[in-house]
C-alpha cells in the first residue's frame, strides 16, 4: 500500500512539472537551461509529513496538474462578537483565505492551522469551533464501517441456530477475534465480574483496530491518522478512567486512601495515599500517550522513508537509484510492521484497560 502512495506522489510531481513547463514551451519561450544549470526545488519533507498526520478543514485527495481534488468540509464556529458561522471550507479558498471575518491561522501562530478571527486590537482570537474536520469525518466513516461489520455478523448469528455449523469466512474471523479478546483479555484480566465490562472493552478494541487499519489505506476514505490524534486517544483514556473509578469497589478506594502499609507512611504526612491518588490519573495518561505516540511515530517513519526517493533525486542517478530501492524495501517492511502494530496497539490498550478495571474489582467477589 505504501508503494502505491509512492507511485501516486511520483505521478503528482510529474504532472506538476508538466503543468509548469507546458505553457512556457507552447508560447515559444526560451529553451530550458542545461541540466547542470537547473536547480531542483527541494522537497519539503516537513510539509508532506505534517499534512498527512495533521488535521484540516478539507480532505485533500490528489492533484491533477494545478487542479486540487479536495472534499470541502462544513465549518461550524461561534464567535463571541458575531455569533454563529456555518459555511463550507471552500468559501475560504474562494475569498482569498478569509470569509465572514474568519481565516486559518498562519504558521508560527499559537493557533496555527485553526480558524481564528481578529478583535478590535488586531489580536488573533479562536472562536468556539465544532467544525467537521478531516479527522472527524474519518472518525464518522470508520464508526459507520464498524457498525456495519458488527451488525452484519450479529445478523448472521440471528439467522443461524446455535446447533448449526460453525461460521466460516469473514464471520468466522470476527468470531475468532471476539472470542480471543473476550476470553484471553477481558475474562482473565477483569475477573468474575467481566460480563459487566465486556461491551466497553470489546468496543474499544474494535474501534481502535478499525481506525488503525483505515489509517494505513493511502486513499480516500482511508489515510486519516485518527488514533494518531491525541484528542481521540484522550477520550478513549477518559472512558477507561471513568469505568475504573465509577465502578470501583469500596476495597479499591480503601487501598487508595488507607493502603496496607506502615502507619508512618500514612500519618502525619499522607505519602502513600498521595502516591496512590496520583496513580489514578497516571494510568489513563499512559494509555493516552502510548496509543498516540506509537501510531504517530509509525506514520511519520513511513512518510520520511517515502520522501527519500525525492530528496535524493538531485544526488545523482546511482545514489538516487540505491536510495529509491532501499526506500521501497523499508516501506514494505514498515507497512507490514504497521499492520501488526495496528492489532498490537488495540490489544494492548484493551488489555491494560481490563487490568486497571480488574484491579478496581479484584475483591468484589470475596
Amino acid at each position: 500500500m505504501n508503494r502505491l502512495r509512492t507511485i501516486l506522489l511520483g505521478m503528482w510531481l510529474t504532472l506538476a512539472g508538466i503543468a509548469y513547463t507546458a505553457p512556457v514551451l507552447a508560447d515559444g519561450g526560451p529553451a530550458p537551461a542545461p541540466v547542470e544549470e537547473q536547480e531542483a526545488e527541494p522537497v519539503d519533507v516537513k510539509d508532506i509529513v505534517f499534512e498527512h498526520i495533521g488535521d484540516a478543514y478539507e480532505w485533500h485527495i490528489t492533484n491533477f496538474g494545478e487542479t486540487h481534488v479536495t472534499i470541502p468540509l462544513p465549518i461550524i464556529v461561534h464567535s463571541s462578537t458575531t455569533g454563529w458561522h456555518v459555511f463550507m471550507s471552500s468559501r475560504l479558498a474562494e475569498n482569498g483565505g478569509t470569509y465572514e471575518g474568519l481565516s486559518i491561522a498562519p504558521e508560527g501562530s499559537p493557533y496555527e492551522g485553526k480558524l481564528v478571527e481578529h478583535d478590535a486590537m488586531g489580536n488573533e482570537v479562536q472562536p468556539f469551533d465544532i467544525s467537521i474536520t478531516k479527522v472527524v469525518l474519518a472518525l464518522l466513516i470508520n464508526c459507520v464501517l464498524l457498525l456495519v461489520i458488527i451488525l452484519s455478523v450479529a445478523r448472521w448469528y440471528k439467522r443461524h441456530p446455535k446447533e448449526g455449523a460453525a461460521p466460516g469466512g469473514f464471520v468466522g474471523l470476527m468470531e475468532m477475534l471476539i472470542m480471543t479478546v473476550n476470553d484471553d483479555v477481558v475474562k482473565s484480566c477483569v475477573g468474575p465480574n467481566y460480563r459487566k465490562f465486556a461491551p466497553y472493552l470489546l468496543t474499544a478494541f474494535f474501534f481502535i483496530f478499525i481506525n488503525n487499519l483505515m489509517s494505513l489505506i493511502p486513499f480516500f476514505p482511508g489515510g486519516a491518522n485518527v488514533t494518531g490524534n491525541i484528542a481521540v486517544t484522550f477520550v478513549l483514556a477518559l472512558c477507561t478512567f471513568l469505568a475504573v473509578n465509577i465502578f470501583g469497589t469500596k476495597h479499591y478506594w480503601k487501598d487508595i486512601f488507607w493502603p496496607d502499609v506502615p502507619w508512618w507512611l500514612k500519618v502525619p504526612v499522607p505519602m502513600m495515599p498521595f502516591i496512590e491518588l496520583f496513580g489514578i490519573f497516571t494510568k489513563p495518561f499512559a494509555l493516552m500517550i502510548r496509543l498516540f505516540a506509537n501510531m504517530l511515530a509509525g506514520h511519520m517513519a513511513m512518510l520520511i522513508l517515502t520522501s527519500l526517493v525525492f530528496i535524493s533525486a538531485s544526488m545523482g542517478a546511482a545514489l538516487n537509484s540505491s536510495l529509491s530501492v532501499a526506500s521501497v524495501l523499508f516501506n514494505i517492511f514498515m507497512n507490514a510492521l504497521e499492520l501488526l502494530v495496528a492489532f498490537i496497539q488495540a490489544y494492548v490498550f484493551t488489555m491494560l484497560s481490563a487490568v486497571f478495571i480488574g484491579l478496581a474489582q479484584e475483591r468484589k467477589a470475596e
Side-chain angles (χ1 to χ4, degrees):
M1 286 184 289
N2 234 48
R3 293 174 64 185
L4 178 60
R5 184 185 302 168
T6 304
I7 294 171
L8 288 174
L9 190 55
M11 291 174 60
W12 174 82
L13 290 174
T14 303
L15 290 171
I18 294 172
Y20 178 79
T21 57
V24 176
L25 297 177
D27 294 338
V35 176
E36 61 270 17
E37 295 180 7
Q38 296 180 0
E39 293 184 3
E41 184 178 349
V43 176
D44 191 345
V45 178
K46 177 183 175 182
D47 185 60
I48 294 174
V49 172
F50 283 94
E51 181 181 356
H52 174 77
I53 65 177
D55 203 358
Y57 291 99
E58 61 182 12
W59 195 319
H60 181 263
I61 305 299
T62 187
N63 287 355
F64 290 104
E66 295 183 357
T67 303
H68 297 267
V69 180
T70 60
I71 299 176
L73 300 175
I75 290 177
I76 309 170
V77 297
H78 181 268
S79 170
S80 58
T81 56
T82 57
W84 286 98
H85 298 264
V86 181
F87 55 90
M88 299 301 291
S89 60
S90 55
R91 296 288 188 182
L92 292 170
E94 294 169 359
N95 293 274
T98 302
Y99 186 72
E100 295 183 355
L102 298 167
S103 60
I104 305 294
E107 185 176 354
S109 167
Y111 307 111
E112 179 179 345
K114 301 297 182 181
L115 275 173
V116 295
E117 57 182 348
H118 293 83
D119 58 16
M121 303 296 294
N123 299 317
E124 290 182 344
V125 179
Q126 186 177 20
F128 178 66
D129 192 347
I130 54 172
S131 303
I132 306 298
T133 62
K134 177 182 175 181
V135 170
V136 174
L137 179 60
L139 189 62
L140 295 175
I141 292 173
N142 296 343
C143 286
V144 171
L145 178 60
L146 180 59
L147 283 173
V148 169
I149 292 173
I150 298 300
L151 292 178
S152 63
V153 173
R155 187 179 181 185
W156 187 95
Y157 280 99
K158 187 177 180 180
R159 290 184 172 185
H160 294 77
K162 294 182 179 179
E163 297 78 14
F170 181 74
V171 177
L173 175 64
M174 288 298 297
E175 179 181 304
M176 180 194 69
L177 282 174
I178 292 171
M179 295 306 295
T180 297
V181 176
N182 185 70
D183 295 343
D184 296 344
V185 178
V186 180
K187 188 175 181 179
S188 61
C189 294
V190 175
N193 202 27
Y194 76 95
R195 292 183 183 274
K196 183 177 182 180
F197 303 97
Y200 162 66
L201 293 170
L202 285 168
T203 301
F205 172 81
F206 284 103
F207 174 81
I208 296 171
F209 189 40
I210 197 72
N211 278 286
N212 289 351
L213 290 179
M214 289 295 290
S215 68
L216 297 176
I217 300 175
F219 50 83
F220 183 83
N225 193 17
V226 176
T227 46
N229 187 301
I230 198 166
V232 176
T233 60
F234 168 78
V235 173
L236 288 169
L238 179 63
C239 291
T240 297
F241 172 81
L242 295 176
V244 170
N245 294 286
I246 290 178
F247 299 100
T249 65
K250 61 181 181 181
H251 299 284
Y252 166 73
W253 289 107
K254 174 187 172 297
D255 287 340
I256 290 175
F257 293 106
W258 196 257
D260 294 330
V261 295
W263 64 268
W264 49 271
L265 292 175
K266 296 179 285 188
V267 291
V269 178
M271 181 185 302
M272 287 306 298
F274 175 78
I275 293 174
E276 293 290 341
L277 187 64
F278 185 68
I280 292 177
F281 301 98
T282 57
K283 292 173 183 175
F285 180 79
L287 285 177
M288 175 185 71
I289 296 299
R290 178 182 286 106
L291 179 59
F292 161 72
N294 278 281
M295 298 312 301
L296 183 67
H299 282 259
M300 292 183 70
M302 288 191 294
L303 288 167
I304 292 171
L305 286 171
T306 302
S307 300
L308 281 176
V309 177
F310 310 102
I311 294 172
S312 61
S314 61
M315 298 180 181
L319 186 59
N320 179 239
S321 300
S322 59
L323 285 178
S324 297
V325 172
S327 174
V328 171
L329 293 177
F330 275 112
N331 261 308
I332 294 173
F333 170 75
M334 284 297 299
N335 213 62
L337 183 63
E338 281 298 298
L339 284 173
L340 181 62
V341 169
F343 174 80
I344 290 176
Q345 288 305 314
Y347 188 89
V348 169
F349 185 96
T350 307
M351 182 185 66
L352 290 177
S353 296
V355 169
F356 297 154
I357 292 172
L359 290 174
Q361 303 288 314
E362 185 177 8
R363 302 185 183 180
K364 192 170 183 179
E366 294 181 359

